[in-house]
Amino acid sequence: MQKIWLIIKREFLTRVRKKSFLLLTLLIPLFFAGIIIIPVVIAVKGEDHKRVAVIDESGLFAGKLPDEKGLYFKPLAQVKIDTFKQNYDEYGYAGVLYIPDIDINRPSGIEYYSKGQASIMLESNLNRQVNDIIEKKRMELAGIDRQKLDEVRSDVRIAFRSGDDEKQGSSTVAYAVGYASGFIVYIILMVFGMSVMRGVMEEKVSRIAEVMISSVKPFQLMMGKIVGIAGVGLLQFLIWIVLLISLQMLLPLFLSPDSIQAIGQNGMVARNANNAAMMDAMEKVNFVVGSVNWTLIISCFIFYFLGGYLFYSALFAAVGSLVNEDPSDVQSLTFPITLPIIVGIMIMISAVQNPNSPLAVWGSIIPFTSPMVMMARLPYGVPGTVEYWELGLSIILLIAGFLFTTWMAGKIYRTGILLYGKKITLKEAMKWVVKRS
Amino acid sequence: MNLLEVRHLKKYYATHKAVDDISFDIPKGSIFGLLGPNGAGKTTLLRMITGIFYPDEGEICFNDRPFDPQKDIHAIGYMPEERGLYKKMKVGDQVLYLAQLKGLPEKAAREKVDYWFNKFEISGWWNKKVEELSKGMQQKVQFISTILHNPALLILDEPFSGLDPLNANLIKQEIFDLSRSGTTIIFSTHRMEQVEEICDRIVLVNKGHKLLDGEVHAIKQTFKEHLFRVGVGVMPNFAQMATHHFTIVKQEDHAYIVKLNEDSSTNDLLLHFIRQDIPVTYFEEILPTINEIFITQVQKTAGYAKDMADH
């Protein structure tokens, strides 16, 4: 026990002390934040001070297009569209909105010219504004009072309740939570599994393996490495959670309501979006976030993350012990392990949309895929979507599964780690498993 | 008194018998040579003695008790032929780590590391990474990490490979020192000149079988061919050398190599020279080198194995 602790300590410390650990720990969230934030920022900021020339032959729009958020309309008279669309940029316009002489009941032929592709933001802005004006005009013609219409307009949301206690939930939140946690488990299995494999390979290639196992049992060496690397992963997640919480607390101080709105809607511009609606939406989100059983999700996440990691990392360790100097061995030997993980992520993607399909149910029970698939189903509710027996069976099978893979890997590892200069096939390795010790 | 007794040890692999019924004893405090050509089963044998492999059959007694890998492993220092260190680890941390894995508490381990680093004059290396050291330097560190916990049994598999003569000599001196202070040493090699220089006893294995074992000088006596070299001041004529006591094997410059006949003694031989009035300048027995014994013995079993295969 003393020895395995020493090994765990070494495996943990050598990885945590590396400069790359801190760098990666900070860079990965930055990278993901970048993926989410940059498009929003570009969408919001990119529209800064855009001047759009408007050539209106119908006379319906002149002066009625309101300037907003960096988008300025400049009506131009006495300009021919055919010539102007060739050289509008020389006058400092970002594009030209061309409205032919249209019939208000059957408007067609409205076009927008620009050099590059117009952004989604601009496209939706122009569509909305043009439609607004046409709508207004039509209402005028039909004699409908705009104010009256707004009053009778309905904005009712149906509350979706599920389960015996009629807990209010939202499939959107369940989808997001399920997808995210399933995907994180997938990344953990791959990244940390590979890390275990590389660690074992390093020990074999640098020829320290035999020195080590003249002091400790091969199983201790393998488990020490697996547990040590799990510790690194846990620490990394702890840092990320702390970062996330502090970011959440600090973020409102830096961002204006406008940009929060933009981020909240992921760059999409909603109709009639104003601060009141925003507050309303926030409340709703808080409400449904509250409806998810976070204690269960988080404890299950930790279980499936650890269980899945133990299940697969033992196999990765076994494969690492089979590899000789030839790097092409790695490819062919890891394939049988990465394959079920990839199948798992595919079932997960389908399960998050359809959590009650037989594929999802059995995928969340069988230990090869359960760490990913079960995490995708859990946010939909226990019981309800995931029955207690399913969760229980899944947990028992995963525990049994990792005990089995660890036992099997231990047998392969013990022999493989000392075998040099010979290409070992998986078939041979399986013989070591069934052979008596 | 034997530190280690090996009885009818067997280890079979799927394709061949790596160790097939080998027995020998290693007296306490001796330097014991384990010899054999490549693939003879030396490494498998050592792995069983170090508890890495379990024997299929037979038993190992360590300190007069059945070998218990869990406990006895702390009394063994093993430097395998396939050896290495964690390349990215600092030298000091590395040795400390290996010592702790051998059961030394951290404080005691630190003192030991300091002692040996001073003795080998490598204290300045503590914070260097292993990969920054030359291969010879790494070997030194490896050797220290093998002996740090004062093992009662030290097992060295090809300890001099990769060492320059200077460092090889340093290690050799250390081996003698350790032996004098009571450490039993198993020395596995196929470099025979080192064996004669270092070992008290040897066991010779080939193809999983033991060919012979015993004390080095006793083995040489067993395989001696009664050859003697006689130095002469004046080369005698042919007639003077005719006798029934010996036959001339080779004539050298001012010396003869002769083979003593069965019933004759060395004194008969010398008397012959004296009677013939041939001035003898020196007289010595030519014992076979371990190398010669090794080669003839291995070749003999190679032929034997070939015969077996033919049947």
Side-chain angles (χ1 to χ4, degrees), chain A residues 271-305:
Chain A
R271 270 180 179 234
N272 304 325
N274 55 40
N275 276 349
M278 181 65 208
M279 294 306 287
D280 192 37
M282 286 292 271
E283 250 164 52
K284 270 187 195 125
V285 168
N286 280 340
F287 192 60
V288 281
V289 165
S291 75
V292 173
N293 186 346
W294 289 104
T295 328
L296 179 86
I297 299 281
I298 289 173
S299 40
C300 279
F301 178 79
I302 292 172
F303 172 78
Y304 280 102
F305 144 53

mmCIF file of all heavy atoms in Angstrom, chain A residues 271-305:
data_model
loop_
_atom_site.group_PDB
_atom_site.id
_atom_site.type_symbol
_atom_site.label_atom_id
_atom_site.label_comp_id
_atom_site.label_asym_id
_atom_site.label_seq_id
_atom_site.Cartn_x
_atom_site.Cartn_y
_atom_site.Cartn_z
ATOM 1 N N ARG A 271 -36.751 38.775 -32.125
ATOM 2 C CA ARG A 271 -37.744 39.829 -32.315
ATOM 3 C C ARG A 271 -38.131 40.430 -30.978
ATOM 4 O O ARG A 271 -38.200 39.742 -29.970
ATOM 5 C CB ARG A 271 -39.003 39.245 -32.954
ATOM 6 C CG ARG A 271 -38.958 39.288 -34.444
ATOM 7 C CD ARG A 271 -40.236 38.692 -34.985
ATOM 8 N NE ARG A 271 -40.155 38.784 -36.440
ATOM 9 C CZ ARG A 271 -41.094 39.350 -37.169
ATOM 10 N NH1 ARG A 271 -42.154 39.858 -36.615
ATOM 11 N NH2 ARG A 271 -40.947 39.400 -38.463
ATOM 12 N N ASN A 272 -38.418 41.682 -30.980
ATOM 13 C CA ASN A 272 -38.914 42.377 -29.801
ATOM 14 C C ASN A 272 -38.043 42.165 -28.566
ATOM 15 O O ASN A 272 -38.530 42.086 -27.457
ATOM 16 C CB ASN A 272 -40.339 41.929 -29.448
ATOM 17 C CG ASN A 272 -41.266 42.131 -30.611
ATOM 18 O OD1 ASN A 272 -41.091 43.111 -31.370
ATOM 19 N ND2 ASN A 272 -42.232 41.240 -30.780
ATOM 20 N N ALA A 273 -36.783 41.965 -28.807
ATOM 21 C CA ALA A 273 -35.914 41.733 -27.664
ATOM 22 C C ALA A 273 -35.674 43.045 -26.948
ATOM 23 O O ALA A 273 -35.159 43.980 -27.516
ATOM 24 C CB ALA A 273 -34.586 41.146 -28.123
ATOM 25 N N ASN A 274 -36.098 43.087 -25.747
ATOM 26 C CA ASN A 274 -35.736 44.242 -24.930
ATOM 27 C C ASN A 274 -35.354 43.727 -23.563
ATOM 28 O O ASN A 274 -35.382 42.527 -23.288
ATOM 29 C CB ASN A 274 -36.894 45.238 -24.871
ATOM 30 C CG ASN A 274 -38.165 44.564 -24.386
ATOM 31 O OD1 ASN A 274 -38.124 43.726 -23.482
ATOM 32 N ND2 ASN A 274 -39.275 44.901 -25.013
ATOM 33 N N ASN A 275 -34.996 44.639 -22.718
ATOM 34 C CA ASN A 275 -34.459 44.211 -21.428
ATOM 35 C C ASN A 275 -35.471 43.451 -20.583
ATOM 36 O O ASN A 275 -35.111 42.519 -19.873
ATOM 37 C CB ASN A 275 -33.931 45.412 -20.652
ATOM 38 C CG ASN A 275 -32.520 45.749 -21.081
ATOM 39 O OD1 ASN A 275 -31.907 44.962 -21.801
ATOM 40 N ND2 ASN A 275 -32.017 46.885 -20.682
ATOM 41 N N ALA A 276 -36.718 43.847 -20.699
ATOM 42 C CA ALA A 276 -37.735 43.167 -19.890
ATOM 43 C C ALA A 276 -37.860 41.701 -20.305
ATOM 44 O O ALA A 276 -37.871 40.802 -19.464
ATOM 45 C CB ALA A 276 -39.079 43.864 -20.051
ATOM 46 N N ALA A 277 -37.895 41.507 -21.617
ATOM 47 C CA ALA A 277 -37.976 40.139 -22.130
ATOM 48 C C ALA A 277 -36.737 39.354 -21.733
ATOM 49 O O ALA A 277 -36.806 38.163 -21.418
ATOM 50 C CB ALA A 277 -38.130 40.151 -23.641
ATOM 51 N N MET A 278 -35.627 40.051 -21.742
ATOM 52 C CA MET A 278 -34.360 39.427 -21.363
ATOM 53 C C MET A 278 -34.427 38.913 -19.920
ATOM 54 O O MET A 278 -34.079 37.769 -19.636
ATOM 55 C CB MET A 278 -33.267 40.499 -21.503
ATOM 56 C CG MET A 278 -31.897 40.012 -21.184
ATOM 57 S SD MET A 278 -31.383 38.757 -22.368
ATOM 58 C CE MET A 278 -30.285 37.845 -21.339
ATOM 59 N N MET A 279 -34.901 39.770 -19.055
ATOM 60 C CA MET A 279 -35.027 39.385 -17.655
ATOM 61 C C MET A 279 -35.947 38.184 -17.517
ATOM 62 O O MET A 279 -35.676 37.252 -16.765
ATOM 63 C CB MET A 279 -35.594 40.553 -16.816
ATOM 64 C CG MET A 279 -34.687 41.763 -16.719
ATOM 65 S SD MET A 279 -33.048 41.333 -16.137
ATOM 66 C CE MET A 279 -33.435 41.025 -14.427
ATOM 67 N N ASP A 280 -36.998 38.235 -18.271
ATOM 68 C CA ASP A 280 -37.961 37.146 -18.263
ATOM 69 C C ASP A 280 -37.301 35.833 -18.670
ATOM 70 O O ASP A 280 -37.447 34.796 -18.015
ATOM 71 C CB ASP A 280 -39.094 37.500 -19.233
ATOM 72 C CG ASP A 280 -40.269 36.560 -19.073
ATOM 73 O OD1 ASP A 280 -40.550 36.181 -17.920
ATOM 74 O OD2 ASP A 280 -40.876 36.214 -20.104
ATOM 75 N N ALA A 281 -36.530 35.927 -19.749
ATOM 76 C CA ALA A 281 -35.843 34.737 -20.255
ATOM 77 C C ALA A 281 -34.851 34.212 -19.232
ATOM 78 O O ALA A 281 -34.767 32.998 -19.000
ATOM 79 C CB ALA A 281 -35.129 35.065 -21.560
ATOM 80 N N MET A 282 -34.130 35.130 -18.616
ATOM 81 C CA MET A 282 -33.154 34.725 -17.607
ATOM 82 C C MET A 282 -33.847 33.970 -16.472
ATOM 83 O O MET A 282 -33.368 32.956 -15.996
ATOM 84 C CB MET A 282 -32.443 35.959 -17.022
ATOM 85 C CG MET A 282 -31.430 36.594 -17.951
ATOM 86 S SD MET A 282 -29.991 35.538 -18.210
ATOM 87 C CE MET A 282 -28.970 36.076 -16.858
ATOM 88 N N GLU A 283 -34.982 34.498 -16.076
ATOM 89 C CA GLU A 283 -35.720 33.852 -15.009
ATOM 90 C C GLU A 283 -36.106 32.427 -15.397
ATOM 91 O O GLU A 283 -36.013 31.501 -14.616
ATOM 92 C CB GLU A 283 -36.983 34.651 -14.693
ATOM 93 C CG GLU A 283 -36.918 35.347 -13.347
ATOM 94 C CD GLU A 283 -37.973 36.416 -13.228
ATOM 95 O OE1 GLU A 283 -39.146 36.077 -13.482
ATOM 96 O OE2 GLU A 283 -37.612 37.564 -12.929
ATOM 97 N N LYS A 284 -36.528 32.312 -16.640
ATOM 98 C CA LYS A 284 -36.945 30.999 -17.120
ATOM 99 C C LYS A 284 -35.775 30.019 -17.102
ATOM 100 O O LYS A 284 -35.910 28.879 -16.674
ATOM 101 C CB LYS A 284 -37.492 31.108 -18.544
ATOM 102 C CG LYS A 284 -38.987 31.379 -18.554
ATOM 103 C CD LYS A 284 -39.526 31.306 -19.956
ATOM 104 C CE LYS A 284 -40.904 31.915 -20.007
ATOM 105 N NZ LYS A 284 -41.015 32.978 -21.006
ATOM 106 N N VAL A 285 -34.649 30.526 -17.574
ATOM 107 C CA VAL A 285 -33.464 29.668 -17.596
ATOM 108 C C VAL A 285 -33.129 29.242 -16.177
ATOM 109 O O VAL A 285 -32.921 28.070 -15.895
ATOM 110 C CB VAL A 285 -32.272 30.394 -18.254
ATOM 111 C CG1 VAL A 285 -30.990 29.623 -17.998
ATOM 112 C CG2 VAL A 285 -32.516 30.553 -19.737
ATOM 113 N N ASN A 286 -33.141 30.213 -15.263
ATOM 114 C CA ASN A 286 -32.852 29.875 -13.879
ATOM 115 C C ASN A 286 -33.826 28.829 -13.369
ATOM 116 O O ASN A 286 -33.454 27.911 -12.652
ATOM 117 C CB ASN A 286 -32.955 31.122 -13.006
ATOM 118 C CG ASN A 286 -31.699 31.947 -13.124
ATOM 119 O OD1 ASN A 286 -30.664 31.432 -13.522
ATOM 120 N ND2 ASN A 286 -31.799 33.218 -12.808
ATOM 121 N N PHE A 287 -35.071 28.968 -13.776
ATOM 122 C CA PHE A 287 -36.089 28.053 -13.302
ATOM 123 C C PHE A 287 -35.837 26.631 -13.787
ATOM 124 O O PHE A 287 -35.841 25.684 -13.002
ATOM 125 C CB PHE A 287 -37.464 28.540 -13.779
ATOM 126 C CG PHE A 287 -38.574 27.831 -13.103
ATOM 127 C CD1 PHE A 287 -38.706 27.889 -11.707
ATOM 128 C CD2 PHE A 287 -39.497 27.105 -13.825
ATOM 129 C CE1 PHE A 287 -39.728 27.236 -11.074
ATOM 130 C CE2 PHE A 287 -40.526 26.446 -13.184
ATOM 131 C CZ PHE A 287 -40.649 26.507 -11.811
ATOM 132 N N VAL A 288 -35.564 26.507 -15.075
ATOM 133 C CA VAL A 288 -35.345 25.152 -15.592
ATOM 134 C C VAL A 288 -34.017 24.595 -15.135
ATOM 135 O O VAL A 288 -33.884 23.400 -14.912
ATOM 136 C CB VAL A 288 -35.455 25.061 -17.128
ATOM 137 C CG1 VAL A 288 -36.904 25.027 -17.534
ATOM 138 C CG2 VAL A 288 -34.704 26.147 -17.814
ATOM 139 N N VAL A 289 -33.015 25.478 -14.979
ATOM 140 C CA VAL A 289 -31.743 25.001 -14.445
ATOM 141 C C VAL A 289 -31.979 24.431 -13.061
ATOM 142 O O VAL A 289 -31.462 23.404 -12.689
ATOM 143 C CB VAL A 289 -30.702 26.143 -14.426
ATOM 144 C CG1 VAL A 289 -29.522 25.760 -13.554
ATOM 145 C CG2 VAL A 289 -30.241 26.448 -15.830
ATOM 146 N N GLY A 290 -32.861 25.116 -12.310
ATOM 147 C CA GLY A 290 -33.203 24.628 -10.977
ATOM 148 C C GLY A 290 -33.939 23.309 -11.013
ATOM 149 O O GLY A 290 -33.894 22.540 -10.075
ATOM 150 N N SER A 291 -34.611 23.031 -12.144
ATOM 151 C CA SER A 291 -35.404 21.814 -12.218
ATOM 152 C C SER A 291 -34.547 20.570 -12.409
ATOM 153 O O SER A 291 -34.985 19.470 -12.155
ATOM 154 C CB SER A 291 -36.401 21.909 -13.364
ATOM 155 O OG SER A 291 -35.722 21.725 -14.581
ATOM 156 N N VAL A 292 -33.311 20.751 -12.894
ATOM 157 C CA VAL A 292 -32.425 19.599 -13.058
ATOM 158 C C VAL A 292 -31.877 19.221 -11.697
ATOM 159 O O VAL A 292 -31.503 20.087 -10.911
ATOM 160 C CB VAL A 292 -31.273 19.940 -14.026
ATOM 161 C CG1 VAL A 292 -30.272 18.812 -14.069
ATOM 162 C CG2 VAL A 292 -31.813 20.238 -15.404
ATOM 163 N N ASN A 293 -31.849 17.918 -11.429
ATOM 164 C CA ASN A 293 -31.341 17.443 -10.143
ATOM 165 C C ASN A 293 -29.817 17.430 -10.175
ATOM 166 O O ASN A 293 -29.177 16.452 -10.544
ATOM 167 C CB ASN A 293 -31.883 16.036 -9.891
ATOM 168 C CG ASN A 293 -31.525 15.538 -8.508
ATOM 169 O OD1 ASN A 293 -30.666 16.118 -7.838
ATOM 170 N ND2 ASN A 293 -32.181 14.487 -8.075
ATOM 171 N N TRP A 294 -29.238 18.565 -9.784
ATOM 172 C CA TRP A 294 -27.789 18.723 -9.961
ATOM 173 C C TRP A 294 -26.978 17.808 -9.077
ATOM 174 O O TRP A 294 -25.914 17.345 -9.485
ATOM 175 C CB TRP A 294 -27.394 20.183 -9.736
ATOM 176 C CG TRP A 294 -27.872 21.047 -10.851
ATOM 177 C CD1 TRP A 294 -28.935 21.892 -10.842
ATOM 178 C CD2 TRP A 294 -27.322 21.106 -12.173
ATOM 179 N NE1 TRP A 294 -29.083 22.478 -12.074
ATOM 180 C CE2 TRP A 294 -28.106 22.023 -12.911
ATOM 181 C CE3 TRP A 294 -26.255 20.481 -12.802
ATOM 182 C CZ2 TRP A 294 -27.864 22.307 -14.243
ATOM 183 C CZ3 TRP A 294 -26.000 20.776 -14.124
ATOM 184 C CH2 TRP A 294 -26.801 21.676 -14.831
ATOM 185 N N THR A 295 -27.474 17.544 -7.867
ATOM 186 C CA THR A 295 -26.722 16.648 -6.973
ATOM 187 C C THR A 295 -26.557 15.288 -7.633
ATOM 188 O O THR A 295 -25.465 14.719 -7.660
ATOM 189 C CB THR A 295 -27.471 16.465 -5.640
ATOM 190 O OG1 THR A 295 -28.178 17.661 -5.361
ATOM 191 C CG2 THR A 295 -26.537 16.113 -4.536
ATOM 192 N N LEU A 296 -27.671 14.816 -8.193
ATOM 193 C CA LEU A 296 -27.621 13.507 -8.846
ATOM 194 C C LEU A 296 -26.709 13.555 -10.061
ATOM 195 O O LEU A 296 -25.859 12.686 -10.258
ATOM 196 C CB LEU A 296 -29.029 13.087 -9.266
ATOM 197 C CG LEU A 296 -29.070 11.742 -9.988
ATOM 198 C CD1 LEU A 296 -29.153 10.608 -8.986
ATOM 199 C CD2 LEU A 296 -30.220 11.680 -10.968
ATOM 200 N N ILE A 297 -26.874 14.594 -10.884
ATOM 201 C CA ILE A 297 -26.091 14.687 -12.113
ATOM 202 C C ILE A 297 -24.608 14.739 -11.794
ATOM 203 O O ILE A 297 -23.800 14.008 -12.376
ATOM 204 C CB ILE A 297 -26.477 15.956 -12.915
ATOM 205 C CG1 ILE A 297 -27.936 15.919 -13.323
ATOM 206 C CG2 ILE A 297 -25.572 16.126 -14.122
ATOM 207 C CD1 ILE A 297 -28.230 15.064 -14.501
ATOM 208 N N ILE A 298 -24.250 15.580 -10.829
ATOM 209 C CA ILE A 298 -22.824 15.752 -10.545
ATOM 210 C C ILE A 298 -22.243 14.486 -9.926
ATOM 211 O O ILE A 298 -21.161 14.036 -10.303
ATOM 212 C CB ILE A 298 -22.587 16.988 -9.652
ATOM 213 C CG1 ILE A 298 -22.857 18.243 -10.484
ATOM 214 C CG2 ILE A 298 -21.153 17.013 -9.123
ATOM 215 C CD1 ILE A 298 -22.829 19.527 -9.710
ATOM 216 N N SER A 299 -22.998 13.867 -8.993
ATOM 217 C CA SER A 299 -22.423 12.644 -8.402
ATOM 218 C C SER A 299 -22.350 11.530 -9.442
ATOM 219 O O SER A 299 -21.386 10.770 -9.469
ATOM 220 C CB SER A 299 -23.176 12.212 -7.144
ATOM 221 O OG SER A 299 -24.555 12.390 -7.318
ATOM 222 N N CYS A 300 -23.364 11.455 -10.314
ATOM 223 C CA CYS A 300 -23.293 10.450 -11.381
ATOM 224 C C CYS A 300 -22.167 10.774 -12.353
ATOM 225 O O CYS A 300 -21.476 9.883 -12.840
ATOM 226 C CB CYS A 300 -24.617 10.386 -12.138
ATOM 227 S SG CYS A 300 -25.837 9.394 -11.284
ATOM 228 N N PHE A 301 -21.992 12.044 -12.632
ATOM 229 C CA PHE A 301 -20.917 12.432 -13.548
ATOM 230 C C PHE A 301 -19.574 11.964 -13.003
ATOM 231 O O PHE A 301 -18.774 11.362 -13.720
ATOM 232 C CB PHE A 301 -20.908 13.950 -13.742
ATOM 233 C CG PHE A 301 -19.797 14.419 -14.629
ATOM 234 C CD1 PHE A 301 -19.909 14.311 -16.007
ATOM 235 C CD2 PHE A 301 -18.626 14.938 -14.096
ATOM 236 C CE1 PHE A 301 -18.899 14.722 -16.835
ATOM 237 C CE2 PHE A 301 -17.595 15.348 -14.926
ATOM 238 C CZ PHE A 301 -17.729 15.241 -16.291
ATOM 239 N N ILE A 302 -19.357 12.221 -11.698
ATOM 240 C CA ILE A 302 -18.084 11.808 -11.095
ATOM 241 C C ILE A 302 -17.964 10.279 -11.154
ATOM 242 O O ILE A 302 -16.911 9.746 -11.493
ATOM 243 C CB ILE A 302 -17.963 12.330 -9.653
ATOM 244 C CG1 ILE A 302 -17.827 13.855 -9.699
ATOM 245 C CG2 ILE A 302 -16.770 11.718 -8.942
ATOM 246 C CD1 ILE A 302 -17.888 14.527 -8.362
ATOM 247 N N PHE A 303 -19.069 9.577 -10.875
ATOM 248 C CA PHE A 303 -19.009 8.114 -10.922
ATOM 249 C C PHE A 303 -18.690 7.615 -12.333
ATOM 250 O O PHE A 303 -17.810 6.783 -12.528
ATOM 251 C CB PHE A 303 -20.324 7.493 -10.446
ATOM 252 C CG PHE A 303 -20.359 6.013 -10.675
ATOM 253 C CD1 PHE A 303 -19.690 5.152 -9.827
ATOM 254 C CD2 PHE A 303 -21.011 5.478 -11.781
ATOM 255 C CE1 PHE A 303 -19.682 3.793 -10.050
ATOM 256 C CE2 PHE A 303 -21.007 4.114 -12.019
ATOM 257 C CZ PHE A 303 -20.343 3.272 -11.144
ATOM 258 N N TYR A 304 -19.420 8.151 -13.323
ATOM 259 C CA TYR A 304 -19.219 7.636 -14.681
ATOM 260 C C TYR A 304 -17.888 8.072 -15.268
ATOM 261 O O TYR A 304 -17.273 7.351 -16.048
ATOM 262 C CB TYR A 304 -20.389 8.030 -15.581
ATOM 263 C CG TYR A 304 -21.563 7.125 -15.385
ATOM 264 C CD1 TYR A 304 -22.651 7.522 -14.633
ATOM 265 C CD2 TYR A 304 -21.552 5.832 -15.899
ATOM 266 C CE1 TYR A 304 -23.715 6.666 -14.408
ATOM 267 C CE2 TYR A 304 -22.606 4.972 -15.678
ATOM 268 C CZ TYR A 304 -23.691 5.390 -14.938
ATOM 269 O OH TYR A 304 -24.716 4.527 -14.728
ATOM 270 N N PHE A 305 -17.461 9.239 -14.866
ATOM 271 C CA PHE A 305 -16.148 9.689 -15.317
ATOM 272 C C PHE A 305 -15.070 8.762 -14.749
ATOM 273 O O PHE A 305 -14.231 8.241 -15.488
ATOM 274 C CB PHE A 305 -15.968 11.177 -14.922
ATOM 275 C CG PHE A 305 -14.598 11.602 -14.502
ATOM 276 C CD1 PHE A 305 -13.484 11.355 -15.301
ATOM 277 C CD2 PHE A 305 -14.406 12.303 -13.331
ATOM 278 C CE1 PHE A 305 -12.228 11.776 -14.916
ATOM 279 C CE2 PHE A 305 -13.148 12.723 -12.941
ATOM 280 C CZ PHE A 305 -12.056 12.451 -13.731
#
